Amino acid sequence: MLSAAAASVALTENGLVTPAAAQEGKFVWAATGGAWSEQLTSSFVKGTKFAGPTTTQSAQLESIAASKILSSNGRPEYSASNHGNAEVALLQAGSALQPYDLSTVTNFADIRDSAKLGTDYAAFCLLIFGLAWNTKEAKKPTSFMDMWKPEYKGRIGVPAYGYYGMYWLHALNKIMGGTEDDVTPALKVVSKLVREQQAVMIENSDHTARLFEQGEIVMGPWWSGRIIRLKEQGQPIGFEYVPGTLAVGSGFVIPKGAPQPQLANEFINGTLDPQRQAAFAALTRYPPTNKKTVLDEKYKDVALPESAEANFVKLDWAKISATRAKNLELWNKEVL
Amino acid sequence: MLHLPPHKRELGIVFQNYALFPHLDVLGNVAFGLRRRRVPVAEANRQAKAALEMVGLGDYGRRLPNQLSGGQQQRVALARAFVLRPPLLLMDEPLSSLDLKLREQMRHEIRALQRQLGLTLIYVTHDQDEALAMSDRIAVLSAGQVQQIGAPREIYERPVNEFVARFIGSVNLWKADDVRVEADGSVLARVAGGTTMRVARHSAKTGAIQVGVRPERLRILPAGSVGEAGPNQFDAEIEEITFLGEDLQIRARLPGATPVQVATKNVTDVASLAPGQRVKLECSVDDVICIS
Amino acid sequence: MMSSASVEQRIPASSARQERRAGLNLALIAGPYGLFLLAILGAPVFILVAISFSKHAPPAMWSSILSLENYQRATEPFYLEMFVRTLRIAILSTVASVIVGYPLAYFLARSPRNVATIGMFLLVTPLMVSTVIRSFGWIIILGRNGLISQAAQALGFEGPVRLLYTEFAVTLALTQIFLPLMVLPLVAAIERIPVRVEEAAASLGSSPLSVFLQVIVPLSRAGLVSGCLLCFTTGISVVVTPALLGGRSVRMAGNFVYEQVVTAFDWPLAASLANVLAILALLSTAAALGLSPKTSSGRS
């Protein structure tokens, strides 16, 4: 009886009531708020047809947006929603996405294949999750395994499971010869790192920045864009494309049944445009996905070095997403 | 005493608004001070119960203060203070929030209790009647200064200054514009309008003085009666009579329109007085107040 | 020797009939409001309970299959230990707030108006700073290169002192967050206690400490209870502070519920964890309220 009630509540919450924005013919794009949303607006909204009052941004965590899409029974509030590869895989598994209209998304053909998941998703940038290190207090690392060196005991940052720890665990597992089906090899070593070598759990990017700044940690996996910006500010921080480095896309998907699908396709085509991607890369220092994008000379750091791509780990995002709950339980019980 | 913290002064205080502890029942309130002196619970409660019985609240031990009337709360406050047998008990206008009847009843009870227990009480009040009725000695204070200390009768009959004279009871007080010292040491003072008053030697003063008399010490002589020409007889014209049942309050004027108050019992002799009537007023030389 | 003849009779203010009418009027006024409250407060709780009994079936958030599995998981030793830790930290930081907050509240309540205003302002200002920023502040103070660690090393202690990622760090940071929540209701309660009552206690031989314990504390009990409830209920539901200062080992219920919703997409487990937490919180609150006496008698 209770589950029936829950189902009916879900219906009234999400199915029967048409979101106000959709009724008014508004175009709603969803993304995380804060600096990220400002950078997106500046690169992909300003100076386009989407700059007007009929466009609104819905700001919440990407995972919350994914939950809302999944529980919307085919009547989502968003025309386009910003996600990384793993969540896109989750949404695909829930049959919650509709493919791009390639006659509108003409830039799709120029996007590098590693940034695509079928025709449901093409990332507008690559977020590179490699190894960050303090250039004054640590030695230049060549592998994630440098984090286990005894001299760094208590001064290593490990991403919390909810903050990219899940992806990093799989990346580490892969380079240790494991597969997405069994993360035991990586769990064992991360457990040692956290429990015996007292690595510090990091919860988000601001937290990481603060811990590096305060000298709490001297090494840990982190995003390339943030590191490049800190380096430019004069901080003693370096970034290495060590083996197992993650290249995670960030891009927009169109939820199945989305209001204004035509506008959604046009908006997404804009995010894949070489000039706009160049502007976004200049703002965030994250490399673009469109092969035709030409970066300003100033941002040569941002472009991926030839050697880097060989170190990128290839992951089965659908499997990772399907096992996220099970692996969280393992992480909580064996690592923490 | 001032250099001691309040809790070491051994000064019992009964506050104006009782300041009972609302979270403690009546017994708890009275036993509070005993418990602070480490008296064992049973003994403290026994003494508290005895104190409550003395104030007639023996059966009220389990009530909370807000379940009591004002008078009862007052008694609890009293019991709470005297149960410690303090060498000195200060009562700060303890009856000011009670109605008149209850106030008069409590005056007697407090006085009786004070005598029975041999307490030394400092009783602060604005009510002159209360001060006169209850005190062995009164200190009249004004603006933080002691004006006069003395027995109630002394304060009333020999006030040292205008403040005391006017504060305790009512008084007719006139400025003397001519002062003559007689051979017997008494003083003859003339006030505006030419009326003269003789002041007995023992209270005589000279210089810039005021002389006067309490309204109830003025006698009204029957109209036209000359009688023996006493030293302090004045002509007066009645202006207004306020009828108070047992008493009459008469406003009259001396020559030169100097106002004078007379208070008298409503006895047969004065029952027929009426405004406009001319009368003679008289007072004894000993009743004349003289202050400088 | 005194008579109690002067007992004043209390006359009931209103008759039973008037009371019935007042009750009817109240129902008319409060009825729709009550229904509205029930809808906006009751419905989410109902949904949460419903979800907690449904089986997790990814990728859907929840399914229509009834299951007790979530409660079996939420009450296994791993989670029970976490709940105990959550309650322990919430209670300890509430107690710490009482110890620090009571004297402060007394001081503010008995200060001249301008001092009290400045004090209140200083007390409330931190509320305008997010807990994330405040946690970063604690990292600076408690970190290996932080003030305390440097002071300890200057005093001859060996190596950096590790205070971060301990229950102490989380409790300390929560106490700082709770202080205004504790002090504000206490100030309101203490302000209502007449100064005369304190003076009366002093005149009866109470030392300042005894006045505080025997008079101020029992008479400001209502403020104490509401302050403790505010702190405790906030304490059991915090997320940011333990995440940033608790490290791997001092994670609290909020962290687990949050990650089940946001990371694992396992709403049924999140709902049952939240419900177990709510039940534990209700039980401990009821126990605390039941233990504290309402009035005391002559045995003070």
Side-chain angles (χ1 to χ4, degrees):
Chain A
M1 187 199 83
L2 282 173
S3 56
S8 73
V9 167
L11 272 181
T12 45
E13 273 208 318
N14 305 303
L16 300 179
V17 184
T18 309
Q23 279 172 343
E24 290 162 23
K26 274 196 173 172
F27 173 77
V28 182
W29 58 283
T32 306
W36 182 250
S37 111
E38 282 164 29
Q39 290 157 350
L40 289 176
T41 305
S42 156
S43 312
F44 303 132
V45 177
K46 250 187 216 159
T48 72
K49 68 185 283 191
F50 297 100
T54 54
T55 299
T56 45
Q57 194 215 331
S58 170
Q60 66 267 292
L61 289 179
E62 291 175 7
S63 58
I64 301 285
S67 307
K68 285 190 182 173
I69 293 168
L70 281 170
S71 57
S72 71
N73 285 8
R75 309 197 64 169
E77 320 171 32
Y78 320 123
S79 310
S81 186
N82 183 204
H83 296 281
N85 299 34
E87 273 160 23
V88 173
L90 183 81
L91 291 167
Q92 282 179 324
S95 311
L97 299 183
Q98 62 185 61
Y100 293 167
D101 172 5
L102 295 184
S103 64
T104 304
V105 188
T106 50
N107 289 319
F108 189 80
D110 299 327
I111 303 301
R112 61 170 80 213
D113 286 341
S114 60
K116 294 176 186 171
L117 285 171
T119 55
D120 292 339
Y121 165 81
F124 52 80
C125 77
L126 287 176
L127 307 171
I128 312 295
F129 204 63
L131 191 53
W133 58 290
N134 182 319
T135 53
K136 276 192 182 153
E137 295 195 54
K139 284 199 207 84
K140 183 183 168 94
T142 55
S143 153
F144 279 134
M145 292 306 161
D146 282 31
M147 294 162 68
W148 276 262
K149 285 187 175 168
E151 63 260 39
Y152 302 139
K153 186 179 172 184
R155 306 196 72 189
I156 295 295
V158 168
Y161 188 85
Y163 167 62
Y164 274 89
M166 174 170 77
Y167 307 93
W168 180 68
L169 184 71
H170 280 284
L172 198 65
N173 199 49
K174 258 301 174 43
I175 59 167
M176 294 177 71
T179 68
E180 283 84 351
D181 298 312
D182 180 14
V183 291
T184 317
L187 266 182
K188 273 205 179 120
V189 294
V190 175
S191 173
K192 178 168 182 275
L193 184 62
V194 171
R195 290 189 175 172
E196 290 170 29
Q197 297 188 236
Q198 297 172 9
V200 177
M201 279 293 144
I202 44 188
E203 296 289 333
N204 58 43
S205 280
D206 285 336
H207 190 203
T208 323
R210 215 49 70 113
L211 293 176
F212 267 112
E213 217 173 83
Q214 291 297 317
E216 284 291 316
I217 59 173
V218 295
M219 194 177 287
W222 204 22
W223 301 111
S224 61
R226 284 296 290 250
I227 296 162
I228 294 170
R229 278 181 279 156
L230 286 181
K231 225 196 297 193
E232 287 166 3
Q233 289 165 19
Q235 282 212 31
I237 194 163
F239 180 80
E240 305 306 324
Y241 297 90
V242 293
T245 292
L246 276 158
V248 189
S250 180
F252 281 90
V253 292
I254 308 172
K256 192 175 276 178
Q260 309 288 358
Q262 177 55 30
L263 287 176
N265 277 293
E266 290 175 31
F267 180 78
I268 286 166
N269 196 43
T271 68
L272 305 179
D273 175 83
Q275 274 82 46
R276 296 198 178 284
Q277 287 203 353
F280 186 77
L283 270 181
T284 62
R285 318 291 197 274
Y286 285 114
T289 56
N290 191 315
K291 289 176 271 188
K292 291 184 179 165
T293 304
V294 182
L295 287 176
D296 196 293
E297 188 55 26
K298 269 203 298 198
Y299 302 116
K300 55 182 194 311
D301 262 20
V302 174
L304 292 175
E306 288 295 321
S307 57
E309 227 159 330
N311 283 341
F312 287 175
V313 67
K314 305 258 177 317
L315 294 176
D316 181 342
W317 298 106
K319 265 190 189 160
I320 289 180
S321 227
T323 55
R324 51 169 65 220
K326 188 191 83 184
N327 287 336
L328 169 62
E329 188 90 1
L330 289 174
W331 174 283
N332 278 345
K333 290 181 177 170
E334 287 173 27
V335 172
L336 300 187
Chain B
M1 187 158 87
L2 283 175
H3 64 270
L4 284 174
H7 66 282
K8 292 194 176 145
R9 284 182 194 163
E10 304 254 323
L11 169 69
I13 303 179
V14 176
F15 292 89
Q16 189 171 7
N17 293 314
Y18 325 134
L20 297 179
F21 305 121
H23 61 297
L24 297 178
D25 61 18
V26 166
L27 198 64
N29 266 278
V30 179
F32 187 91
L34 296 166
R35 295 291 294 127
R36 298 291 85 73
R37 281 163 174 70
R38 312 241 177 271
V39 177
V41 176
E43 174 60 15
N45 284 353
R46 195 193 60 74
Q47 290 186 28
K49 185 106 174 42
L52 281 172
E53 259 149 28
M54 293 190 77
V55 296
L57 290 176
D59 298 330
Y60 288 72
R62 289 288 163 230
R63 301 256 188 119
L64 287 173
N66 63 12
Q67 295 168 318
L68 302 180
S69 68
Q72 291 169 332
Q73 291 186 34
Q74 179 57 62
R75 288 157 203 251
V76 176
L78 193 58
R80 184 177 68 173
F82 78 67
V83 76
L84 298 175
R85 302 299 144 99
L88 187 60
L89 183 58
L90 174 68
M91 303 185 83
D92 180 11
E93 301 207 45
L95 305 181
S96 61
S97 42
L98 301 181
D99 66 51
L100 185 65
K101 275 250 164 72
L102 199 54
R103 204 148 66 205
E104 283 177 355
Q105 185 189 347
M106 286 298 292
R107 274 182 208 164
H108 292 295
E109 295 184 2
I110 291 172
R111 186 73 165 135
L113 199 66
Q114 179 261 325
R115 290 206 176 105
Q116 188 195 3
L117 296 172
L119 292 169
T120 305
L121 271 186
I122 297 180
Y123 191 102
V124 179
T125 181
H126 274 97
D127 182 327
Q128 305 94 327
D129 292 348
E130 206 165 280
L132 294 171
M134 296 189 70
S135 308
D136 294 317
R137 276 156 66 79
I138 296 176
V140 181
L141 281 93
S142 170
Q145 297 291 318
V146 175
Q147 306 293 320
Q148 187 173 3
I149 298 179
R153 185 171 284 273
E154 191 185 335
I155 296 278
Y156 189 76
E157 294 177 355
R158 301 274 167 264
V160 297
N161 58 28
E162 185 180 351
F163 177 83
V164 177
R166 290 197 189 279
F167 184 71
I168 304 278
S170 46
V171 69
N172 296 300
L173 213 53
W174 304 287
K175 195 179 282 169
D177 52 22
D178 184 52
V179 180
R180 252 183 313 130
V181 184
E182 299 287 282
D184 62 355
S186 68
V187 161
L188 216 52
R190 201 186 67 188
V191 304
T195 307
T196 56
M197 299 193 85
R198 186 179 292 279
V199 186
R201 182 182 173 175
H202 54 83
S203 55
K205 294 189 178 68
T206 54
I209 59 166
Q210 292 186 78
V211 290
V213 60
R214 300 277 180 194
E216 76 278 7
R217 294 292 170 89
L218 282 167
R219 285 185 304 281
I220 300 172
L221 304 176
S225 81
V226 182
E228 282 176 60
N232 285 327
Q233 284 190 356
F234 329 108
D235 288 316
E237 185 183 331
I238 293 176
E239 231 176 27
E240 189 185 306
I241 300 175
T242 307
F243 178 75
L244 297 172
E246 203 178 319
D247 299 287
L248 293 181
Q249 226 173 52
I250 298 168
R251 210 174 70 210
R253 287 196 182 277
L254 299 177
T258 306
V260 59
Q261 295 276 352
V262 184
T264 171
K265 286 284 157 203
N266 185 11
V267 292
T268 321
D269 287 358
V270 297
S272 61
L273 290 177
Q277 204 173 336
R278 304 192 69 81
V279 291
K280 250 191 169 35
L281 302 176
E282 183 191 51
C283 70
S284 139
V285 174
D286 287 332
D287 288 341
V288 175
I289 292 168
C290 174
I291 55 185
S292 48
Chain C
M1 56 163 266
M2 279 196 181
S3 73
S4 46
S6 58
V7 177
E8 291 146 61
Q9 286 295 318
R10 285 170 178 250
I11 299 152
S14 61
S15 71
R17 198 177 143 189
Q18 275 173 320
E19 269 171 29
R20 267 201 305 278
R21 275 197 58 180
L24 186 67
N25 285 339
L26 187 69
L28 282 175
I29 295 164
Y33 176 66
L35 286 177
F36 174 72
L37 272 189
L38 194 69
I40 63 163
L41 293 178
V45 173
F46 179 76
I47 295 170
L48 203 62
V49 171
I51 292 175
S52 72
F53 284 107
S54 103
K55 193 173 170 59
H56 180 46
M61 297 295 105
W62 63 85
S63 67
S64 54
I65 306 161
L66 267 179
S67 166
L68 285 174
E69 187 193 302
N70 308 306
Y71 282 100
Q72 280 163 5
R73 285 180 68 193
T75 51
E76 64 189 39
F78 175 79
Y79 287 112
L80 284 184
E81 193 192 325
M82 174 275 287
F83 282 126
V84 169
R85 182 190 316 131
T86 302
L87 292 178
R88 182 172 61 234
I89 293 173
I91 290 169
L92 278 180
S93 38
T94 301
V95 169
S97 307
V98 172
I99 293 169
V100 181
Y102 233 129
L104 182 59
Y106 180 76
F107 170 77
L108 289 176
R110 292 294 189 236
S111 291
R113 182 153 289 280
N114 51 349
V115 176
T117 308
I118 294 168
M120 288 289 198
F121 178 76
L122 291 177
L123 183 72
V124 173
T125 314
L127 289 177
M128 297 171 211
V129 180
S130 84
T131 48
V132 177
I133 306 292
R134 282 197 263 174
S135 298
F136 286 153
W138 284 113
I139 291 177
I140 294 173
I141 293 170
L142 302 176
R144 55 186 300 127
N145 298 325
L147 294 175
I148 294 177
S149 182
Q150 283 182 0
Q153 287 177 68
L155 289 173
F157 284 88
E158 225 174 283
V161 180
R162 195 176 173 112
L163 295 168
L164 278 179
Y165 318 120
T166 59
E167 278 197 23
F168 169 76
V170 176
T171 308
L172 183 66
L174 288 182
T175 304
Q176 194 254 346
I177 291 169
F178 291 170
L179 204 55
L181 303 182
M182 180 63 75
V183 170
L184 291 180
L186 278 178
V187 168
I190 295 172
E191 272 176 347
R192 282 199 294 270
I193 304 172
V195 179
R196 285 275 181 241
V197 174
E198 286 178 55
E199 290 173 358
S203 81
L204 294 168
S206 284
S207 65
L209 180 66
S210 161
V211 172
F212 187 79
L213 294 177
Q214 306 288 342
V215 177
I216 297 297
V217 171
L219 286 179
S220 53
R221 185 179 168 278
L224 180 65
V225 168
S226 43
C228 286
L229 279 180
L230 280 176
C231 293
F232 178 70
T233 49
T234 312
I236 55 169
S237 58
V238 288
V239 175
V240 173
T241 307
L244 295 182
L245 302 176
R248 69 167 182 96
S249 51
V250 195
R251 286 155 51 84
M252 295 169 70
N255 304 103
F256 285 89
V257 173
Y258 180 85
E259 74 186 3
Q260 287 301 333
V261 172
V262 166
T263 307
F265 295 98
D266 189 346
W267 286 19
L269 179 59
S272 42
L273 287 172
N275 286 339
V276 172
L277 178 65
I279 289 166
L280 288 174
L282 283 176
L283 288 179
S284 21
T285 307
L289 288 179
L291 282 178
S292 64
K294 280 226 150 54
T295 56
S296 29
S297 71
R299 294 171 194 354
S300 65

